[in-house]
Amino acid sequence: MRAYSQSFSINSVVAFVLKFPLIGYIIGFFEDYVISIVRTGPVPKHVAMIMDGNRTYAKKHRLPLKEGHFAGANALVKVLECCYKVGIEQVTIYAFSLENFNRTKEEVDTLFGLLRDKLKMISDYEDSYARYNKVRIRIIGNRGFIPPDILKDLEYIEEVTKNKSSKKILNVCFPYTARDEITHAVRSVAKKRIEGKIQNRDEIDAKVIESNFYFGDDVPPLDILIRTSGHTRLSDFLLWQCNTNCTIEFPDVLWPDFGFISIMSILLKWSYYKTLQLEEEAIRGKEPQVQNTVSTVLLKELPQPPPVATVTQN
């Protein structure tokens, strides 16, 4: 009985129910309706995700580690589709941290190959998801750590999805850490200063540093940073970018289980509070300005003072 209950999981029930065409139609109608609601309010331009929980998912369901990463890759495609339908311009994902090199070689090779294969799957053909929907894929990170054969394929994916008119961009941080990015930017600025491309050290400010990030200067400010699995840490991801006006969410959901409801609830909440913020800013903007000068008032023009009242204690 125990083995039966383990195999007959909720996911298998859901998968079975979704096979019925009517159920699929109802769910599709519901999703489109929710997306239309989200689109009526403020929509974030840039959302980033730390896709945590693939290994825990595999252990929880007693699956090989590779299957957990496969499930995570499938979840990513679904979440991306939701984001772009809503109107989000850029999505950034933490695909591989430099710290991940501390994992076993087998797992590292699996992650490298899985990323390449999944990106090729959504971009290899004219009617593939990325090219059909004009989604530009960019690899963000220290490319010196990427094996030549993997790097060649990733650069090909970047090239075939490169579309200057595209308003949908997928930034794949691979391999990446925020400290490495900041170090890279500082070194680049120092080199330009030595070469004379930066004439005065006073020219070096936050914008100059940002323009030398792996991202470059053509990325909008980060609006939402999501880390799944409930862990409340950023794991050295976009530490500079999430510093200002960024909402950070830590949903207690494993990444392979992070789907339509999860992402939409976060977007709806962000849109609600953003609307309140914009309304408050609009009200403040309409407040009358305090005059710098005070007009002269004659003493006789002032109103009579109220009668004097005293309180005595018996």
Side-chain angles (χ1 to χ4, degrees):
M1 182 66 182
R2 183 179 180 183
Y4 174 79
S5 62
Q6 288 175 347
S7 61
F8 196 69
S9 63
I10 295 177
N11 289 336
S12 62
V13 174
V14 172
F16 175 75
V17 172
L18 290 178
K19 291 181 180 179
F20 293 93
L22 179 60
I23 300 298
Y25 173 80
I26 294 173
I27 293 176
F29 177 81
F30 169 75
E31 291 181 352
D32 290 341
Y33 179 70
V34 174
I35 288 173
S36 66
I37 293 175
V38 176
R39 288 176 63 91
T40 59
V43 175
K45 292 184 177 181
H46 187 188
V47 174
M49 303 176 195
I50 302 175
M51 305 175 292
D52 190 23
N54 292 340
R55 295 197 295 176
T56 304
Y57 178 88
K59 293 177 182 178
K60 179 180 178 181
H61 294 278
R62 298 188 176 184
L63 298 171
L65 195 58
K66 183 185 297 186
E67 294 298 323
H69 291 303
F70 283 147
N74 292 331
L76 172 61
V77 175
K78 296 176 183 178
V79 172
L80 287 177
E81 188 172 2
C82 293
C83 290
Y84 294 134
K85 281 185 176 180
V86 166
I88 297 171
E89 295 179 4
Q90 295 202 27
V91 177
T92 299
I93 60 172
Y94 203 4
F96 193 89
S97 166
L98 289 173
E99 304 296 330
N100 290 149
F101 282 109
N102 295 325
R103 299 183 180 182
T104 64
K105 184 179 184 303
E106 180 183 0
E107 186 175 359
V108 170
D109 291 342
T110 297
L111 289 171
F112 272 51
L114 179 61
L115 175 68
R116 175 186 58 186
D117 295 343
K118 206 65 179 180
L119 291 180
K120 287 182 70 175
M121 185 188 75
I122 65 174
S123 63
D124 232 2
Y125 307 101
E126 288 292 339
D127 59 347
S128 59
Y129 177 80
R131 293 168 71 175
Y132 180 79
N133 292 282
K134 295 183 179 180
V135 177
R136 180 185 175 189
I137 298 175
R138 300 197 310 162
I139 306 301
I140 307 295
N142 195 330
R143 303 191 181 205
F145 289 95
I146 304 177
D149 58 325
I150 301 289
L151 180 59
K152 181 179 178 181
D153 289 336
L154 295 180
E155 289 178 341
Y156 168 77
I157 291 169
E158 283 187 308
E159 185 62 31
V160 297
T161 61
K162 194 173 183 179
N163 191 331
K164 294 183 179 180
S165 63
S166 176
K167 294 184 179 180
K168 304 172 185 176
I169 296 177
L170 172 61
N171 300 308
V172 182
C173 292
F174 174 84
Y176 173 94
T177 61
R179 287 176 296 173
D180 180 67
E181 180 178 47
I182 294 171
T183 302
H184 166 79
V186 171
R187 286 174 176 170
S188 298
V189 171
K191 182 180 179 182
K192 291 178 180 179
R193 178 77 172 95
I194 293 172
E195 294 174 348
K197 295 179 180 179
I198 298 178
Q199 299 295 329
N200 193 325
R201 66 180 183 180
D202 293 334
E203 298 176 24
I204 303 174
D205 56 11
K207 289 185 178 180
V208 172
I209 298 293
E210 289 174 355
S211 66
N212 286 274
F213 281 165
Y214 292 130
F215 280 90
D217 54 3
D218 58 344
V219 59
L222 185 60
D223 295 307
I224 305 175
L225 174 60
I226 302 169
R227 189 208 173 104
T228 56
S229 80
H231 293 298
T232 54
R233 59 178 183 268
L234 299 181
S235 298
D236 208 354
F237 182 55
L238 302 182
L239 300 183
W240 180 293
Q241 290 85 345
C242 72
N243 181 59
T244 305
N245 297 326
C246 176
T247 299
I248 302 177
E249 296 281 351
F250 298 102
D252 192 11
V253 180
L254 300 178
W255 175 252
D257 293 325
F258 189 81
F260 179 84
I261 298 298
S262 300
I263 185 64
M264 285 301 158
S265 61
I266 291 175
L267 295 179
L268 280 169
K269 184 169 72 170
W270 183 90
S271 181
Y272 172 74
Y273 285 111
K274 188 66 175 179
T275 300
L276 294 181
Q277 178 186 344
L278 293 174
E279 290 178 351
E280 184 178 352
E281 291 175 355
I283 293 173
R284 288 180 178 178
K286 294 179 181 179
E287 288 179 354
Q289 299 294 325
V290 178
Q291 295 183 355
N292 294 326
T293 59
V294 179
S295 58
T296 304
V297 179
L298 298 177
L299 185 61
K300 64 180 181 180
E301 294 177 354
L302 293 175
Q304 293 296 321
V308 177
T310 60
V311 178
T312 59
Q313 186 175 4
N314 294 330

